[in-house]
mmCIF file of all heavy atoms in Angstrom:
data_model
loop_
_atom_site.group_PDB
_atom_site.id
_atom_site.type_symbol
_atom_site.label_atom_id
_atom_site.label_comp_id
_atom_site.label_asym_id
_atom_site.label_seq_id
_atom_site.Cartn_x
_atom_site.Cartn_y
_atom_site.Cartn_z
ATOM 1 N N PRO A 159 140.191 82.391 53.669
ATOM 2 C CA PRO A 159 141.496 82.505 53.025
ATOM 3 C C PRO A 159 142.565 83.205 53.903
ATOM 4 O O PRO A 159 143.757 82.885 53.775
ATOM 5 C CB PRO A 159 141.112 83.294 51.773
ATOM 6 C CG PRO A 159 139.630 83.063 51.465
ATOM 7 C CD PRO A 159 139.069 82.934 52.902
ATOM 8 N N GLN A 160 142.140 84.134 54.647
ATOM 9 C CA GLN A 160 143.050 84.932 55.486
ATOM 10 C C GLN A 160 143.719 83.947 56.443
ATOM 11 O O GLN A 160 144.955 84.015 56.775
ATOM 12 C CB GLN A 160 142.426 86.026 56.187
ATOM 13 C CG GLN A 160 142.069 87.237 55.245
ATOM 14 C CD GLN A 160 140.740 87.146 54.624
ATOM 15 O OE1 GLN A 160 140.288 85.987 54.408
ATOM 16 N NE2 GLN A 160 140.059 88.252 54.462
ATOM 17 N N ILE A 161 142.900 83.016 57.045
ATOM 18 C CA ILE A 161 143.401 82.032 58.048
ATOM 19 C C ILE A 161 144.467 81.117 57.362
ATOM 20 O O ILE A 161 145.443 80.883 57.906
ATOM 21 C CB ILE A 161 142.316 81.215 58.675
ATOM 22 C CG1 ILE A 161 141.310 82.113 59.371
ATOM 23 C CG2 ILE A 161 142.848 80.108 59.538
ATOM 24 C CD1 ILE A 161 141.882 82.774 60.558
ATOM 25 N N TYR A 162 144.118 80.692 56.098
ATOM 26 C CA TYR A 162 145.139 79.858 55.408
ATOM 27 C C TYR A 162 146.509 80.645 55.194
ATOM 28 O O TYR A 162 147.453 80.081 55.497
ATOM 29 C CB TYR A 162 144.558 79.520 54.059
ATOM 30 C CG TYR A 162 143.588 78.376 53.938
ATOM 31 C CD1 TYR A 162 142.301 78.584 54.085
ATOM 32 C CD2 TYR A 162 144.040 77.027 53.845
ATOM 33 C CE1 TYR A 162 141.299 77.516 54.059
ATOM 34 C CE2 TYR A 162 143.186 75.998 53.760
ATOM 35 C CZ TYR A 162 141.831 76.225 53.919
ATOM 36 O OH TYR A 162 140.974 75.180 53.890
ATOM 37 N N ARG A 163 146.381 81.879 54.835
ATOM 38 C CA ARG A 163 147.552 82.622 54.468
ATOM 39 C C ARG A 163 148.366 82.919 55.752
ATOM 40 O O ARG A 163 149.622 82.882 55.833
ATOM 41 C CB ARG A 163 147.196 83.962 53.773
ATOM 42 C CG ARG A 163 146.627 83.664 52.379
ATOM 43 C CD ARG A 163 146.570 84.952 51.621
ATOM 44 N NE ARG A 163 145.527 85.885 51.970
ATOM 45 C CZ ARG A 163 144.377 85.932 51.512
ATOM 46 N NH1 ARG A 163 143.957 85.132 50.570
ATOM 47 N NH2 ARG A 163 143.532 86.835 51.947
ATOM 48 N N ILE A 164 147.684 83.236 56.868
ATOM 49 C CA ILE A 164 148.315 83.587 58.119
ATOM 50 C C ILE A 164 149.077 82.311 58.637
ATOM 51 O O ILE A 164 150.227 82.362 59.060
ATOM 52 C CB ILE A 164 147.294 84.115 59.271
ATOM 53 C CG1 ILE A 164 146.804 85.525 58.792
ATOM 54 C CG2 ILE A 164 147.908 84.170 60.571
ATOM 55 C CD1 ILE A 164 145.689 86.076 59.680
ATOM 56 N N PHE A 165 148.317 81.281 58.747
ATOM 57 C CA PHE A 165 148.944 79.976 59.221
ATOM 58 C C PHE A 165 150.024 79.489 58.322
ATOM 59 O O PHE A 165 151.059 78.943 58.828
ATOM 60 C CB PHE A 165 147.900 78.944 59.525
ATOM 61 C CG PHE A 165 147.294 78.999 60.872
ATOM 62 C CD1 PHE A 165 146.246 79.904 61.080
ATOM 63 C CD2 PHE A 165 147.769 78.327 61.932
ATOM 64 C CE1 PHE A 165 145.651 80.062 62.348
ATOM 65 C CE2 PHE A 165 147.233 78.443 63.283
ATOM 66 C CZ PHE A 165 146.181 79.231 63.331
ATOM 67 N N GLY A 166 149.884 79.628 57.041
ATOM 68 C CA GLY A 166 150.954 79.271 56.140
ATOM 69 C C GLY A 166 152.209 80.093 56.380
ATOM 70 O O GLY A 166 153.280 79.514 56.439
ATOM 71 N N ALA A 167 152.044 81.365 56.630
ATOM 72 C CA ALA A 167 153.171 82.225 56.811
ATOM 73 C C ALA A 167 153.790 81.865 58.203
ATOM 74 O O ALA A 167 155.000 81.827 58.297
ATOM 75 C CB ALA A 167 152.763 83.672 56.761
ATOM 76 N N LEU A 168 152.956 81.614 59.220
ATOM 77 C CA LEU A 168 153.505 81.324 60.562
ATOM 78 C C LEU A 168 154.281 80.067 60.479
ATOM 79 O O LEU A 168 155.406 79.927 61.066
ATOM 80 C CB LEU A 168 152.332 81.191 61.495
ATOM 81 C CG LEU A 168 151.684 82.546 61.948
ATOM 82 C CD1 LEU A 168 150.485 82.263 62.899
ATOM 83 C CD2 LEU A 168 152.611 83.468 62.680
ATOM 84 N N ILE A 169 153.722 79.009 59.907
ATOM 85 C CA ILE A 169 154.409 77.708 59.791
ATOM 86 C C ILE A 169 155.680 77.815 58.969
ATOM 87 O O ILE A 169 156.553 76.970 59.143
ATOM 88 C CB ILE A 169 153.435 76.652 59.242
ATOM 89 C CG1 ILE A 169 152.204 76.510 60.185
ATOM 90 C CG2 ILE A 169 154.123 75.277 59.096
ATOM 91 C CD1 ILE A 169 151.126 75.632 59.603
ATOM 92 N N LEU A 170 155.771 78.839 58.049
ATOM 93 C CA LEU A 170 156.972 78.950 57.332
ATOM 94 C C LEU A 170 157.995 79.702 58.028
ATOM 95 O O LEU A 170 159.217 79.339 58.141
ATOM 96 C CB LEU A 170 156.624 79.731 55.970
ATOM 97 C CG LEU A 170 157.875 80.070 55.121
ATOM 98 C CD1 LEU A 170 158.448 78.760 54.503
ATOM 99 C CD2 LEU A 170 157.398 81.000 53.969
ATOM 100 N N PHE A 171 157.578 80.825 58.664
ATOM 101 C CA PHE A 171 158.586 81.732 59.346
ATOM 102 C C PHE A 171 159.137 81.172 60.650
ATOM 103 O O PHE A 171 160.354 81.379 60.947
ATOM 104 C CB PHE A 171 157.910 83.093 59.595
ATOM 105 C CG PHE A 171 158.002 83.955 58.355
ATOM 106 C CD1 PHE A 171 156.686 84.406 57.862
ATOM 107 C CD2 PHE A 171 159.099 84.279 57.684
ATOM 108 C CE1 PHE A 171 156.712 85.242 56.714
ATOM 109 C CE2 PHE A 171 159.021 85.100 56.553
ATOM 110 C CZ PHE A 171 157.850 85.511 56.106
ATOM 111 N N ILE A 172 158.360 80.472 61.416
ATOM 112 C CA ILE A 172 158.800 80.002 62.673
ATOM 113 C C ILE A 172 159.976 79.008 62.560
ATOM 114 O O ILE A 172 161.060 79.144 63.247
ATOM 115 C CB ILE A 172 157.673 79.353 63.532
ATOM 116 C CG1 ILE A 172 156.651 80.483 63.972
ATOM 117 C CG2 ILE A 172 158.213 78.646 64.720
ATOM 118 C CD1 ILE A 172 155.489 80.035 64.608
ATOM 119 N N PRO A 173 159.875 78.009 61.672
ATOM 120 C CA PRO A 173 161.144 77.166 61.466
ATOM 121 C C PRO A 173 162.321 77.901 60.905
ATOM 122 O O PRO A 173 163.411 77.684 61.378
ATOM 123 C CB PRO A 173 160.609 76.170 60.392
ATOM 124 C CG PRO A 173 159.117 76.098 60.508
ATOM 125 C CD PRO A 173 158.719 77.475 60.874
ATOM 126 N N ILE A 174 162.046 78.886 60.025
ATOM 127 C CA ILE A 174 163.211 79.644 59.576
ATOM 128 C C ILE A 174 163.854 80.468 60.708
ATOM 129 O O ILE A 174 165.094 80.584 60.779
ATOM 130 C CB ILE A 174 162.729 80.562 58.390
ATOM 131 C CG1 ILE A 174 162.359 79.834 57.191
ATOM 132 C CG2 ILE A 174 163.839 81.592 58.000
ATOM 133 C CD1 ILE A 174 161.817 80.626 56.053
ATOM 134 N N LEU A 175 163.017 81.020 61.564
ATOM 135 C CA LEU A 175 163.558 81.780 62.737
ATOM 136 C C LEU A 175 164.336 80.873 63.672
ATOM 137 O O LEU A 175 165.432 81.213 64.121
ATOM 138 C CB LEU A 175 162.373 82.489 63.493
ATOM 139 C CG LEU A 175 162.765 83.308 64.674
ATOM 140 C CD1 LEU A 175 163.594 84.525 64.180
ATOM 141 C CD2 LEU A 175 161.483 83.944 65.316
ATOM 142 N N ILE A 176 163.863 79.662 63.819
ATOM 143 C CA ILE A 176 164.561 78.672 64.720
ATOM 144 C C ILE A 176 165.868 78.282 64.129
ATOM 145 O O ILE A 176 166.946 78.285 64.766
ATOM 146 C CB ILE A 176 163.619 77.435 64.854
ATOM 147 C CG1 ILE A 176 162.444 77.796 65.793
ATOM 148 C CG2 ILE A 176 164.519 76.291 65.611
ATOM 149 C CD1 ILE A 176 161.394 76.705 65.909
ATOM 150 N N LEU A 177 165.834 77.990 62.823
ATOM 151 C CA LEU A 177 167.077 77.507 62.135
ATOM 152 C C LEU A 177 168.090 78.630 61.991
ATOM 153 O O LEU A 177 169.288 78.355 61.802
ATOM 154 C CB LEU A 177 166.731 76.935 60.749
ATOM 155 C CG LEU A 177 165.934 75.647 60.780
ATOM 156 C CD1 LEU A 177 165.468 75.247 59.375
ATOM 157 C CD2 LEU A 177 166.951 74.535 61.241
ATOM 158 N N SER A 178 167.590 79.865 61.959
ATOM 159 C CA SER A 178 168.562 81.008 61.927
ATOM 160 C C SER A 178 169.378 81.149 63.159
ATOM 161 O O SER A 178 170.381 81.945 63.195
ATOM 162 C CB SER A 178 167.806 82.387 61.607
ATOM 163 O OG SER A 178 167.009 82.706 62.755
ATOM 164 N N HIS A 179 169.077 80.440 64.255
ATOM 165 C CA HIS A 179 169.813 80.485 65.425
ATOM 166 C C HIS A 179 170.203 79.088 65.966
ATOM 167 O O HIS A 179 170.875 78.926 67.055
ATOM 168 C CB HIS A 179 169.020 81.176 66.621
ATOM 169 C CG HIS A 179 168.689 82.558 66.248
ATOM 170 N ND1 HIS A 179 167.641 83.020 65.533
ATOM 171 C CD2 HIS A 179 169.535 83.734 66.691
ATOM 172 C CE1 HIS A 179 167.707 84.370 65.508
ATOM 173 N NE2 HIS A 179 168.735 84.793 66.046
ATOM 174 N N TRP A 180 169.760 78.008 65.172
ATOM 175 C CA TRP A 180 170.010 76.671 65.595
ATOM 176 C C TRP A 180 170.312 75.812 64.345
ATOM 177 O O TRP A 180 169.461 75.072 63.898
ATOM 178 C CB TRP A 180 168.904 76.059 66.382
ATOM 179 C CG TRP A 180 169.100 74.711 66.885
ATOM 180 C CD1 TRP A 180 170.128 74.207 67.583
ATOM 181 C CD2 TRP A 180 168.279 73.545 66.654
ATOM 182 N NE1 TRP A 180 169.985 72.809 67.882
ATOM 183 C CE2 TRP A 180 168.818 72.479 67.304
ATOM 184 C CE3 TRP A 180 166.957 73.344 65.985
ATOM 185 C CZ2 TRP A 180 168.263 71.172 67.272
ATOM 186 C CZ3 TRP A 180 166.424 72.085 66.025
ATOM 187 C CH2 TRP A 180 167.063 71.085 66.651
ATOM 188 N N GLY A 181 171.441 75.970 63.772
ATOM 189 C CA GLY A 181 171.788 75.316 62.580
ATOM 190 C C GLY A 181 171.925 73.806 62.642
ATOM 191 O O GLY A 181 171.738 73.136 61.691
ATOM 192 N N ALA A 182 172.071 73.274 63.906
ATOM 193 C CA ALA A 182 172.171 71.853 64.088
ATOM 194 C C ALA A 182 170.913 71.079 63.794
ATOM 195 O O ALA A 182 170.845 69.901 63.498
ATOM 196 C CB ALA A 182 172.541 71.542 65.550
ATOM 197 N N GLY A 183 169.710 71.811 63.713
ATOM 198 C CA GLY A 183 168.478 71.230 63.369
ATOM 199 C C GLY A 183 168.242 71.111 61.938
ATOM 200 O O GLY A 183 167.118 70.561 61.516
ATOM 201 N N SER A 184 169.126 71.464 61.084
ATOM 202 C CA SER A 184 168.955 71.438 59.628
ATOM 203 C C SER A 184 169.365 70.147 59.021
ATOM 204 O O SER A 184 170.302 69.436 59.525
ATOM 205 C CB SER A 184 169.648 72.645 58.975
ATOM 206 O OG SER A 184 169.570 72.477 57.575
ATOM 207 N N TYR A 185 168.794 69.787 57.875
ATOM 208 C CA TYR A 185 169.241 68.644 57.095
ATOM 209 C C TYR A 185 170.479 68.979 56.249
ATOM 210 O O TYR A 185 171.205 68.033 55.740
ATOM 211 C CB TYR A 185 168.224 68.154 56.104
ATOM 212 C CG TYR A 185 166.998 67.522 56.752
ATOM 213 C CD1 TYR A 185 165.735 68.074 56.695
ATOM 214 C CD2 TYR A 185 167.202 66.200 57.362
ATOM 215 C CE1 TYR A 185 164.639 67.351 57.284
ATOM 216 C CE2 TYR A 185 166.066 65.620 57.879
ATOM 217 C CZ TYR A 185 164.830 66.141 57.849
ATOM 218 O OH TYR A 185 163.743 65.542 58.448
ATOM 219 N N LEU A 186 170.801 70.249 56.057
ATOM 220 C CA LEU A 186 171.969 70.713 55.175
ATOM 221 C C LEU A 186 173.260 70.242 55.725
ATOM 222 O O LEU A 186 173.481 70.333 56.929
ATOM 223 C CB LEU A 186 171.892 72.153 55.051
ATOM 224 C CG LEU A 186 170.596 72.807 54.360
ATOM 225 C CD1 LEU A 186 170.670 74.293 54.273
ATOM 226 C CD2 LEU A 186 170.466 72.175 52.947
ATOM 227 N N ASP A 187 174.095 69.727 54.933
ATOM 228 C CA ASP A 187 175.370 69.270 55.235
ATOM 229 C C ASP A 187 176.419 70.399 55.152
ATOM 230 O O ASP A 187 177.328 70.422 54.330
ATOM 231 C CB ASP A 187 175.859 68.162 54.385
ATOM 232 C CG ASP A 187 177.090 67.415 54.787
ATOM 233 O OD1 ASP A 187 177.451 67.610 56.003
ATOM 234 O OD2 ASP A 187 177.729 66.739 54.025
ATOM 235 N N LEU A 188 176.256 71.385 56.079
ATOM 236 C CA LEU A 188 177.063 72.575 56.138
ATOM 237 C C LEU A 188 177.444 72.854 57.582
ATOM 238 O O LEU A 188 176.889 72.326 58.475
ATOM 239 C CB LEU A 188 176.358 73.723 55.489
ATOM 240 C CG LEU A 188 175.977 73.661 54.018
ATOM 241 C CD1 LEU A 188 175.046 74.908 53.645
ATOM 242 C CD2 LEU A 188 177.226 73.579 53.107
ATOM 243 N N ALA A 189 178.360 73.786 57.791
ATOM 244 C CA ALA A 189 178.661 74.135 59.128
ATOM 245 C C ALA A 189 177.514 74.926 59.661
ATOM 246 O O ALA A 189 176.760 75.596 59.019
ATOM 247 C CB ALA A 189 179.913 75.097 59.104
ATOM 248 N N ASN A 190 177.263 74.777 60.987
ATOM 249 C CA ASN A 190 176.158 75.406 61.627
ATOM 250 C C ASN A 190 176.159 76.962 61.323
ATOM 251 O O ASN A 190 175.045 77.513 61.206
ATOM 252 C CB ASN A 190 176.173 75.171 63.157
ATOM 253 C CG ASN A 190 175.823 73.676 63.444
ATOM 254 O OD1 ASN A 190 175.352 72.977 62.631
ATOM 255 N ND2 ASN A 190 176.159 73.323 64.690
ATOM 256 N N ASP A 191 177.222 77.617 61.469
ATOM 257 C CA ASP A 191 177.229 79.006 61.216
ATOM 258 C C ASP A 191 176.776 79.403 59.817
ATOM 259 O O ASP A 191 176.073 80.385 59.542
ATOM 260 C CB ASP A 191 178.668 79.585 61.465
ATOM 261 C CG ASP A 191 179.079 79.533 62.912
ATOM 262 O OD1 ASP A 191 178.180 79.522 63.824
ATOM 263 O OD2 ASP A 191 180.292 79.699 63.170
ATOM 264 N N ASN A 192 177.159 78.543 58.847
ATOM 265 C CA ASN A 192 176.752 78.825 57.449
ATOM 266 C C ASN A 192 175.233 78.588 57.355
ATOM 267 O O ASN A 192 174.543 79.320 56.610
ATOM 268 C CB ASN A 192 177.478 78.002 56.498
ATOM 269 C CG ASN A 192 178.940 78.246 56.429
ATOM 270 O OD1 ASN A 192 179.411 79.389 56.735
ATOM 271 N ND2 ASN A 192 179.785 77.250 56.114
ATOM 272 N N ILE A 193 174.702 77.570 57.980
ATOM 273 C CA ILE A 193 173.272 77.242 57.894
ATOM 274 C C ILE A 193 172.502 78.420 58.496
ATOM 275 O O ILE A 193 171.475 78.917 58.010
ATOM 276 C CB ILE A 193 172.975 76.001 58.621
ATOM 277 C CG1 ILE A 193 173.639 74.806 57.820
ATOM 278 C CG2 ILE A 193 171.488 75.714 58.685
ATOM 279 C CD1 ILE A 193 173.526 73.499 58.560
ATOM 280 N N GLU A 194 172.942 78.848 59.693
ATOM 281 C CA GLU A 194 172.273 79.965 60.341
ATOM 282 C C GLU A 194 172.271 81.167 59.629
ATOM 283 O O GLU A 194 171.319 81.927 59.426
ATOM 284 C CB GLU A 194 172.907 80.198 61.706
ATOM 285 C CG GLU A 194 172.639 79.063 62.716
ATOM 286 C CD GLU A 194 173.476 79.165 63.988
ATOM 287 O OE1 GLU A 194 174.221 80.150 64.152
ATOM 288 O OE2 GLU A 194 173.531 78.165 64.747
#
């Protein structure tokens, strides 16, 4: 269960960390600064 939770958290946080500095990779129809 710990492996499930660790990898679930990693797979969640890494994309959020990337999108917080690269808004162009988002599906959202907003300005990049707003997405970040």
Side-chain angles (χ1 to χ4, degrees):
Q160 288 89 328
I161 298 296
Y162 278 94
R163 295 193 288 266
I164 289 172
F165 272 84
L168 288 175
I169 297 171
L170 178 67
F171 280 121
I172 292 175
I174 292 176
L175 185 61
I176 293 172
L177 290 167
S178 68
H179 296 87
W180 182 53
S184 174
Y185 288 116
L186 298 177
D187 188 18
L188 298 172
N190 287 346
D191 290 342
N192 293 336
I193 293 173
E194 292 170 5

